[in-house]
Amino acid sequence: MSETSTERGFNFRSFISLLEKRGDLIRIQQHIDPKFELPAVLWKLQEQGKGAVFENVHGSPFSVAGGLFPRMERLGLALGITPTREFITMQDTGYLDAALARPLPYRSVETGPVQKVLRIGSDIDVKKLPVPSFYEYDSGPFVTGGIGIVRHTDTGKLNAGIYRILVLGRDLITINAGANSDLSRIYRAAQGRHEKLSIAVAIGVPPALLVAAASKTPRTISEFDVAGALRGKPLDMVQCRTCDLFVPADAEIVIEGEVDFSQSVENILGEAGAQYRSRTNPVTQVTCISHRQDAIFYAIHAGPSPEHLTLGAFSIIGLKAAFIAAVEQKFSAIKEAHLYTIGDGLHLAVTLKKKECDAAMRLIREFFAMPKGFHVIYPFIKRLIVVDADIDIYTCSDIEWAVWNRVHDAERIVLLPGMPEEPSAGERKSIRVGIDATGNPQDAAMLKKVRNPLLENIILENYL
């Protein structure tokens, strides 16, 4: 299990300060437009591993921070966890397991910095927030770094998740709930009772809460208590001004609202698979905006940005571990397996315990012959690649090296057209691909991959 230090109680601001001291964050004072220009600059900086604070955003008095967590090493820094290889590849989830086993309940406080400024009634104007527009065919500006907060209808526990939020007007937004999210279930329950639903959105929260909100938590445990355990001290929470929900006292901005199920709106945003996705969700009437005096807005670049993919990976971390365990139990020949994402599809790379004739092809055919109900993740697997033990299955470039250097004839590739697409695609069909990218024994010397024996154990942050 990864080692954890005591320096993990960061809030949003203290972590920004740390990144700036380390040279991992750049302050940009040049005037910038939140529509396309700010996201474009943020994307370029994330390619360099840099975060940013934009201090002069057109049309808003607030600055914007983004690109804070472009890779797992940065989250390790925020959580005070030594970024071992197992942590970076998400094989080691002991820190999450421990937080779920021993959650640390939040503390209710009378007030906090987030309620320094209150805007109610005619003072409400969501459009004054520096909400970016990311892609040309998006429906409009989206809040992407906000934590949606509601109560579980059955347990009364506070629930938190990261949702995309479209700004519709001065006091109207729509908070999108994915089909399998807690929020979607809570929406359905409230709608079935013909009741409106209190909801809040907290922007600029402690990193530990981002991780907890992105992860899947049982209904009996609040993500805020998991976040407390992750950071080593309870979260201070303050009650909203227009409803009975609680929000982090040290957040930057909070939007309070009431979900009206009599109105719904379709909206489109570029998603992690680098494709546009349409969602239809109810309209939320904003009842209050509270914020710090000098609030910093937080934006996670939508689509396949490093920060979005890093935080998004937590949404299936438990399912992923369970699926890999089920596959390894079903197929005893597998030595190691790794599930990763390219586009909207999941890809499975495996190594075998023994190098036997036709073992890879047998595995591929048996794998794709399994019933659709084998595991909830199984229908989403688009490609299975079998490689030798000298290939790092946690590095995409290594896998592709094996495919393009060790696959020399068509018999090593299995195409399975007409396979049912993932459940959300209705009747649409897809193709599954199986690839035997293991090397032929007679070519072993020629196809040996170059390697530095120390490379995989080097943690670059230890040298900077």
Side-chain angles (χ1 to χ4, degrees), residues 212-248:
S215 307
K216 294 294 183 184
T217 301
R219 297 181 210 173
T220 54
I221 303 173
S222 172
E223 286 83 359
F224 296 96
D225 300 346
V226 174
L230 285 172
R231 75 198 300 246
K233 62 180 182 181
L235 289 180
D236 286 340
M237 303 278 284
V238 63
Q239 186 173 344
C240 290
R241 291 308 178 102
T242 61
C243 65
D244 67 346
L245 298 173
F246 283 77
V247 294

Short mmCIF file of all heavy atoms in Angstrom, two decimals, residues 212-248:
data_model
loop_
_atom_site.label_atom_id
_atom_site.label_comp_id
_atom_site.label_asym_id
_atom_site.label_seq_id
_atom_site.Cartn_x
_atom_site.Cartn_y
_atom_site.Cartn_z
N ALA A 212 -13.12 11.95 -3.69
CA ALA A 212 -14.25 11.23 -3.11
C ALA A 212 -15.50 11.37 -3.98
O ALA A 212 -16.25 10.41 -4.18
CB ALA A 212 -14.53 11.75 -1.70
N ALA A 213 -15.73 12.57 -4.52
CA ALA A 213 -16.91 12.81 -5.35
C ALA A 213 -16.84 12.07 -6.68
O ALA A 213 -17.86 11.66 -7.22
CB ALA A 213 -17.09 14.31 -5.59
N ALA A 214 -15.63 11.91 -7.20
CA ALA A 214 -15.46 11.20 -8.47
C ALA A 214 -15.59 9.70 -8.30
O ALA A 214 -15.88 8.98 -9.25
CB ALA A 214 -14.10 11.53 -9.08
N SER A 215 -15.37 9.20 -7.09
CA SER A 215 -15.41 7.76 -6.81
C SER A 215 -16.84 7.33 -6.49
O SER A 215 -17.73 8.15 -6.26
CB SER A 215 -14.50 7.43 -5.64
OG SER A 215 -13.20 7.91 -5.84
N LYS A 216 -17.05 6.02 -6.47
CA LYS A 216 -18.34 5.46 -6.10
C LYS A 216 -18.34 5.12 -4.61
O LYS A 216 -17.47 4.39 -4.13
CB LYS A 216 -18.64 4.21 -6.92
CG LYS A 216 -18.82 4.47 -8.42
CD LYS A 216 -20.06 5.29 -8.69
CE LYS A 216 -20.29 5.48 -10.19
NZ LYS A 216 -21.43 6.36 -10.47
N THR A 217 -19.33 5.66 -3.90
CA THR A 217 -19.43 5.47 -2.45
C THR A 217 -20.79 4.88 -2.11
O THR A 217 -21.81 5.31 -2.68
CB THR A 217 -19.26 6.83 -1.74
OG1 THR A 217 -17.99 7.38 -2.08
CG2 THR A 217 -19.32 6.67 -0.22
N PRO A 218 -20.85 3.91 -1.19
CA PRO A 218 -22.16 3.36 -0.78
C PRO A 218 -23.08 4.46 -0.25
O PRO A 218 -22.63 5.46 0.30
CB PRO A 218 -21.80 2.37 0.33
CG PRO A 218 -20.36 2.03 0.09
CD PRO A 218 -19.73 3.26 -0.49
N ARG A 219 -24.38 4.25 -0.39
CA ARG A 219 -25.36 5.26 0.04
C ARG A 219 -25.32 5.52 1.54
O ARG A 219 -25.77 6.57 2.00
CB ARG A 219 -26.78 4.83 -0.35
CG ARG A 219 -27.00 4.70 -1.83
CD ARG A 219 -28.43 4.28 -2.09
NE ARG A 219 -28.54 3.49 -3.31
CZ ARG A 219 -29.63 2.89 -3.70
NH1 ARG A 219 -30.72 2.98 -2.99
NH2 ARG A 219 -29.65 2.19 -4.82
N THR A 220 -24.79 4.57 2.29
CA THR A 220 -24.74 4.72 3.75
C THR A 220 -23.56 5.56 4.20
O THR A 220 -23.43 5.85 5.39
CB THR A 220 -24.65 3.33 4.42
OG1 THR A 220 -23.53 2.61 3.86
CG2 THR A 220 -25.92 2.53 4.18
N ILE A 221 -22.69 5.95 3.28
CA ILE A 221 -21.50 6.73 3.61
C ILE A 221 -21.49 8.00 2.75
O ILE A 221 -21.65 7.92 1.54
CB ILE A 221 -20.20 5.94 3.37
CG1 ILE A 221 -20.21 4.63 4.16
CG2 ILE A 221 -18.97 6.77 3.74
CD1 ILE A 221 -19.03 3.72 3.84
N SER A 222 -21.28 9.13 3.37
CA SER A 222 -21.22 10.38 2.62
C SER A 222 -19.83 10.59 2.05
O SER A 222 -18.82 10.32 2.70
CB SER A 222 -21.57 11.57 3.54
OG SER A 222 -21.34 12.80 2.87
N GLU A 223 -19.78 11.09 0.81
CA GLU A 223 -18.50 11.42 0.19
C GLU A 223 -17.73 12.46 0.99
O GLU A 223 -16.49 12.49 0.96
CB GLU A 223 -18.73 11.95 -1.24
CG GLU A 223 -19.11 10.89 -2.26
CD GLU A 223 -20.58 10.53 -2.25
OE1 GLU A 223 -21.33 11.10 -1.41
OE2 GLU A 223 -20.99 9.68 -3.06
N PHE A 224 -18.44 13.29 1.75
CA PHE A 224 -17.76 14.31 2.56
C PHE A 224 -16.99 13.66 3.71
O PHE A 224 -15.93 14.15 4.11
CB PHE A 224 -18.78 15.32 3.09
CG PHE A 224 -19.44 16.09 1.99
CD1 PHE A 224 -20.67 15.71 1.48
CD2 PHE A 224 -18.82 17.19 1.42
CE1 PHE A 224 -21.27 16.41 0.45
CE2 PHE A 224 -19.40 17.90 0.39
CZ PHE A 224 -20.64 17.51 -0.10
N ASP A 225 -17.51 12.56 4.23
CA ASP A 225 -16.82 11.84 5.30
C ASP A 225 -15.64 11.04 4.76
O ASP A 225 -14.61 10.90 5.43
CB ASP A 225 -17.80 10.91 6.02
CG ASP A 225 -18.97 11.67 6.64
OD1 ASP A 225 -18.88 12.91 6.74
OD2 ASP A 225 -19.97 11.03 7.00
N VAL A 226 -15.77 10.53 3.54
CA VAL A 226 -14.65 9.87 2.87
C VAL A 226 -13.54 10.88 2.62
O VAL A 226 -12.35 10.61 2.84
CB VAL A 226 -15.10 9.21 1.55
CG1 VAL A 226 -13.90 8.64 0.79
CG2 VAL A 226 -16.12 8.11 1.82
N ALA A 227 -13.92 12.08 2.17
CA ALA A 227 -12.94 13.13 1.93
C ALA A 227 -12.21 13.50 3.22
O ALA A 227 -10.99 13.73 3.21
CB ALA A 227 -13.62 14.37 1.34
N GLY A 228 -12.92 13.55 4.33
CA GLY A 228 -12.29 13.83 5.61
C GLY A 228 -11.23 12.80 5.96
O GLY A 228 -10.12 13.14 6.41
N ALA A 229 -11.55 11.53 5.71
CA ALA A 229 -10.57 10.47 5.98
C ALA A 229 -9.38 10.58 5.04
O ALA A 229 -8.23 10.36 5.45
CB ALA A 229 -11.24 9.11 5.85
N LEU A 230 -9.62 10.92 3.77
CA LEU A 230 -8.53 11.04 2.80
C LEU A 230 -7.57 12.16 3.17
O LEU A 230 -6.36 12.05 2.96
CB LEU A 230 -9.09 11.28 1.40
CG LEU A 230 -9.71 10.09 0.68
CD1 LEU A 230 -10.40 10.55 -0.61
CD2 LEU A 230 -8.66 9.03 0.36
N ARG A 231 -8.09 13.26 3.71
CA ARG A 231 -7.23 14.41 4.02
C ARG A 231 -6.72 14.40 5.44
O ARG A 231 -5.90 15.24 5.83
CB ARG A 231 -7.96 15.72 3.70
CG ARG A 231 -9.03 16.12 4.71
CD ARG A 231 -10.00 17.15 4.14
NE ARG A 231 -9.33 18.36 3.75
CZ ARG A 231 -9.54 19.55 4.36
NH1 ARG A 231 -10.35 19.64 5.40
NH2 ARG A 231 -8.92 20.63 3.92
N GLY A 232 -7.22 13.46 6.27
CA GLY A 232 -6.70 13.32 7.62
C GLY A 232 -7.33 14.24 8.64
O GLY A 232 -6.92 14.28 9.80
N LYS A 233 -8.37 14.98 8.25
CA LYS A 233 -9.11 15.81 9.20
C LYS A 233 -10.49 16.09 8.62
O LYS A 233 -10.67 16.13 7.39
CB LYS A 233 -8.37 17.11 9.49
CG LYS A 233 -8.15 18.03 8.31
CD LYS A 233 -7.40 19.29 8.75
CE LYS A 233 -7.20 20.25 7.59
NZ LYS A 233 -6.45 21.46 8.00
N PRO A 234 -11.49 16.29 9.49
CA PRO A 234 -12.86 16.47 9.00
C PRO A 234 -13.00 17.73 8.15
O PRO A 234 -12.30 18.72 8.35
CB PRO A 234 -13.69 16.59 10.29
CG PRO A 234 -12.83 16.06 11.38
CD PRO A 234 -11.41 16.33 10.97
N LEU A 235 -13.94 17.66 7.20
CA LEU A 235 -14.30 18.85 6.45
C LEU A 235 -15.20 19.74 7.30
O LEU A 235 -16.10 19.24 7.98
CB LEU A 235 -15.06 18.48 5.18
CG LEU A 235 -14.30 17.79 4.04
CD1 LEU A 235 -15.26 17.50 2.90
CD2 LEU A 235 -13.15 18.63 3.55
N ASP A 236 -14.97 21.03 7.29
CA ASP A 236 -15.89 21.99 7.91
C ASP A 236 -16.97 22.31 6.89
O ASP A 236 -16.67 22.70 5.76
CB ASP A 236 -15.15 23.26 8.32
CG ASP A 236 -14.28 23.05 9.55
OD1 ASP A 236 -14.53 22.08 10.30
OD2 ASP A 236 -13.36 23.86 9.78
N MET A 237 -18.22 22.17 7.30
CA MET A 237 -19.35 22.36 6.39
C MET A 237 -20.31 23.39 6.97
O MET A 237 -20.56 23.43 8.18
CB MET A 237 -20.08 21.03 6.20
CG MET A 237 -19.21 19.90 5.68
SD MET A 237 -18.98 19.95 3.91
CE MET A 237 -20.56 19.32 3.37
N VAL A 238 -20.85 24.22 6.12
CA VAL A 238 -21.78 25.27 6.52
C VAL A 238 -23.10 25.05 5.80
O VAL A 238 -23.13 24.59 4.66
CB VAL A 238 -21.19 26.67 6.20
CG1 VAL A 238 -20.97 26.84 4.70
CG2 VAL A 238 -22.05 27.77 6.75
N GLN A 239 -24.21 25.36 6.48
CA GLN A 239 -25.52 25.15 5.88
C GLN A 239 -25.78 26.20 4.80
O GLN A 239 -25.41 27.37 4.93
CB GLN A 239 -26.63 25.22 6.93
CG GLN A 239 -28.00 24.86 6.36
CD GLN A 239 -29.08 24.75 7.41
OE1 GLN A 239 -28.78 24.65 8.59
NE2 GLN A 239 -30.34 24.76 7.00
N CYS A 240 -26.41 25.74 3.72
CA CYS A 240 -26.81 26.65 2.66
C CYS A 240 -27.79 27.69 3.19
O CYS A 240 -28.46 27.48 4.20
CB CYS A 240 -27.46 25.88 1.51
SG CYS A 240 -26.31 24.86 0.58
N ARG A 241 -27.92 28.81 2.49
CA ARG A 241 -28.79 29.89 2.94
C ARG A 241 -30.23 29.72 2.51
O ARG A 241 -31.12 30.35 3.08
CB ARG A 241 -28.24 31.24 2.43
CG ARG A 241 -26.93 31.66 3.09
CD ARG A 241 -27.05 31.62 4.61
NE ARG A 241 -25.83 31.96 5.29
CZ ARG A 241 -25.58 33.15 5.85
NH1 ARG A 241 -26.48 34.11 5.76
NH2 ARG A 241 -24.45 33.35 6.49
N THR A 242 -30.49 28.89 1.49
CA THR A 242 -31.88 28.75 1.01
C THR A 242 -32.40 27.32 1.06
O THR A 242 -33.47 27.03 0.53
CB THR A 242 -31.99 29.28 -0.43
OG1 THR A 242 -31.13 28.53 -1.30
CG2 THR A 242 -31.64 30.76 -0.50
N CYS A 243 -31.63 26.39 1.67
CA CYS A 243 -32.10 25.00 1.81
C CYS A 243 -31.34 24.35 2.96
O CYS A 243 -30.49 24.97 3.60
CB CYS A 243 -31.90 24.22 0.51
SG CYS A 243 -30.18 23.99 0.03
N ASP A 244 -31.63 23.08 3.23
CA ASP A 244 -31.05 22.41 4.39
C ASP A 244 -29.77 21.64 4.05
O ASP A 244 -29.26 20.88 4.88
CB ASP A 244 -32.06 21.46 5.03
CG ASP A 244 -32.41 20.27 4.13
OD1 ASP A 244 -32.07 20.32 2.92
OD2 ASP A 244 -33.02 19.31 4.62
N LEU A 245 -29.23 21.82 2.86
CA LEU A 245 -27.98 21.15 2.49
C LEU A 245 -26.79 21.83 3.13
O LEU A 245 -26.86 23.00 3.55
CB LEU A 245 -27.82 21.14 0.96
CG LEU A 245 -28.88 20.40 0.17
CD1 LEU A 245 -28.68 20.62 -1.33
CD2 LEU A 245 -28.86 18.91 0.49
N PHE A 246 -25.68 21.09 3.23
CA PHE A 246 -24.43 21.64 3.75
C PHE A 246 -23.36 21.60 2.65
O PHE A 246 -23.33 20.69 1.83
CB PHE A 246 -23.95 20.83 4.96
CG PHE A 246 -24.71 21.14 6.22
CD1 PHE A 246 -25.98 20.63 6.43
CD2 PHE A 246 -24.16 21.96 7.20
CE1 PHE A 246 -26.70 20.92 7.57
CE2 PHE A 246 -24.87 22.26 8.35
CZ PHE A 246 -26.14 21.74 8.55
N VAL A 247 -22.49 22.61 2.66
CA VAL A 247 -21.45 22.74 1.65
C VAL A 247 -20.13 23.05 2.34
O VAL A 247 -20.10 23.52 3.49
CB VAL A 247 -21.79 23.87 0.64
CG1 VAL A 247 -23.02 23.51 -0.17
CG2 VAL A 247 -21.98 25.20 1.37
N PRO A 248 -18.99 22.76 1.68
CA PRO A 248 -17.69 23.04 2.30
C PRO A 248 -17.54 24.53 2.63
O PRO A 248 -17.72 25.40 1.77
CB PRO A 248 -16.69 22.61 1.23
CG PRO A 248 -17.42 21.61 0.40
CD PRO A 248 -18.84 22.09 0.37
#
